[in-house]
């Protein structure tokens, strides 16, 4: 039998069409940045996730992801201790702020990696807004 | 229709259907599948995300090829290649002591036994090899001079 190269190329190209559509339109498409995750992705990790809320304490008190720890840059020292008590290397920290446009989650995640030395630290794409509106 | 022809059709539909099913489960939640791929620790996250978006559709397209008898040799070649990659990736993860969910059927979050994965993949590869052999035999038979 001849090597079906033409068929292979055709099939590969056909599969690319819906894949391209999914990359832009699928509601559960994976985030492209390595340190970012979407809500559904983080939920697949179940109990392994430690949610960290990087918004201000006032915003945290108005509403947050159940079980989340409050750790803003303003209250770094007071927020860090309880988080480290709950942490172990099997767990994954997911930091969030208010929405897609905020940056505090990235800053807190960066500090947790660089200053505290934690490895599995991710950022929730879309933040608290995406949690409220899955 | 001969009994043997019915058997080959059923096998092709079963194998094609299996890949359509597996692909659809993964295409339903590419974010979860990307996590599974990433856990193999073979490719960076960006590649895992691209694989998670593309691979399920390739499985579906090739599965449809088997079910509807379109581009059968090409579909079989691609699916066989994918299975070999799955087996290689699973073995590499096992050798490095990584506890993985293979993600083969969209199941993220729980690990599957190595022996179970290998047995399943070997069975599918065997079925694909039989189908490839049967397709080659049928094509050769059709090309024989005097064949109606």
């Amino acid at each position: 039998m001849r090597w079906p190269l033409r068929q292979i190329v055709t099939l590969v190209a056909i599969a690319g069409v819906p894949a391209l559509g999914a990359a832009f339109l699928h509601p559960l498409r994976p985030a492209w940045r390595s340190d970012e995750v979407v809500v559904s992705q983080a939920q697949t990790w179940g109990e392994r996730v430690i949610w960290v809320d990087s918004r201000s304490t006032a915003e945290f008190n108005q509403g947050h992801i159940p079980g989340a720890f409050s750790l803003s840059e303003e209250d770094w020292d007071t927020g860090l201790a309880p988080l480290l008590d709950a942490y172990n290397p099997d767990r994954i920290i997911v930091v969030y702020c208010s929405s897609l446009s905020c940056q505090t989650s990235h800053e807190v995640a960066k500090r947790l990696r660089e200053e505290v030395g934690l490895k599995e630290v991710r950022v929730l794409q879309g933040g608290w807004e995406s949690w409220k509106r899955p | 229709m001969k009994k043997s022809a019915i058997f080959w059709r059923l096998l092709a539909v079963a194998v094609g259907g299996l890949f359509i099913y597996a692909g659809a489960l993964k295409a339903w939640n590419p974010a979860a599948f990307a996590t599974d791929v990433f856990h193999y620790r073979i490719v960076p996250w960006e590649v895992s995300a691209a694989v998670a978006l593309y691979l399920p559709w390739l499985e579906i397209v090739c599965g449809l090829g088997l079910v509807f008898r379109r581009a059968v040799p090409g579909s079989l070649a691609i699916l066989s290649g994918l299975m070999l990659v799955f087996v290689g990736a699973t073995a590499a993860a096992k050798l490095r002591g990584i506890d993985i969910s293979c993600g083969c059927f969209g199941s993220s979050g729980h690990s599957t036994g190595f022996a179970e994965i290998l047995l399943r993949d070997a069975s599918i590869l065997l079925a694909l090899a039989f189908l490839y052999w049967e397709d080659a035999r049928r094509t050769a038979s059709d090309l024989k001079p005097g064949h109606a």
Side-chain angles (χ1 to χ4, degrees):
Chain A
M1 179 187 287
R2 285 176 58 203
W3 181 242
L5 190 60
R6 185 177 290 181
Q7 288 184 3
I8 291 172
V9 171
T10 305
L11 290 163
V12 164
I14 290 171
V17 176
L20 203 60
F24 290 100
L25 302 172
H26 199 301
L28 298 178
R29 61 189 181 276
W32 286 106
R33 279 179 60 166
S34 59
D35 63 337
E36 287 187 356
V37 293
V38 294
V39 171
S40 62
Q41 207 171 332
Q43 283 173 332
T44 63
W45 297 326
E47 297 296 313
R48 291 179 67 202
V49 174
I50 298 178
W51 295 102
V52 171
D53 191 320
S54 65
R55 300 173 301 160
S56 68
T57 309
E59 286 173 298
F60 178 82
N61 289 336
Q62 282 174 10
H64 56 263
I65 294 176
F69 290 86
S70 176
L71 179 64
S72 61
E73 293 211 275
E74 295 77 31
D75 296 316
W76 183 261
D77 292 330
T78 50
L80 188 60
L83 170 63
L84 292 180
D85 284 342
Y87 178 79
N88 70 59
D90 287 335
R91 303 195 71 177
I92 303 168
I93 291 176
V94 181
V95 188
Y96 67 92
C97 50
S98 56
S99 66
L100 199 61
S101 57
C102 65
Q103 279 299 311
T104 58
S105 53
H106 285 284
E107 286 153 14
V108 166
K110 189 178 174 191
R111 286 186 71 177
L112 286 173
R113 283 190 213 103
E114 294 178 0
E115 294 178 21
V116 187
L118 306 182
K119 286 182 180 167
E120 284 279 15
V121 183
R122 307 291 188 87
V123 168
L124 181 66
Q125 190 182 66
W128 172 237
E129 288 295 325
S130 72
W131 175 270
K132 287 194 296 182
R133 183 174 31 81
Chain B
M1 198 177 193
K2 285 182 185 175
K3 277 184 182 173
S4 61
I6 294 172
F7 168 77
W8 289 117
R9 278 305 297 141
L10 284 176
L11 184 64
V13 170
V15 173
L18 181 73
F19 278 100
I20 294 168
Y21 173 69
L25 285 178
K26 285 177 276 200
W28 182 261
N29 191 345
F33 182 45
T35 307
D36 286 332
V37 175
F38 186 63
H39 282 168
Y40 279 82
R41 296 185 207 164
I42 293 173
V43 291
W45 171 259
E46 290 79 1
V47 178
S48 302
V51 166
L53 286 163
Y54 179 72
L55 201 68
W57 291 105
L58 189 60
E59 285 183 309
I60 292 169
V61 168
C62 293
L64 288 171
L66 291 188
V67 170
F68 294 104
R69 299 177 84 167
R70 294 284 181 273
V72 172
S75 299
L76 289 170
I78 289 173
L79 293 176
S80 302
L82 288 180
M83 291 309 300
L84 289 173
V85 170
F86 292 156
V87 171
T90 307
K94 176 70 179 174
L95 285 173
R96 287 177 295 151
I98 301 170
D99 184 26
I100 49 161
S101 155
C102 76
C104 316
F105 291 91
S107 55
S108 182
H110 72 275
S111 58
T112 312
F114 180 63
E116 187 189 330
I117 295 174
L118 274 192
L119 188 66
R120 186 177 60 203
D121 289 355
S123 307
I124 296 170
L125 264 174
L126 196 64
L128 289 168
F130 275 135
L131 287 170
Y132 205 84
W133 171 78
E134 161 59 11
D135 190 68
R137 192 191 61 78
R138 191 161 42 83
T139 306
S141 165
D142 289 348
L143 291 176
K144 270 186 186 171
H147 188 276

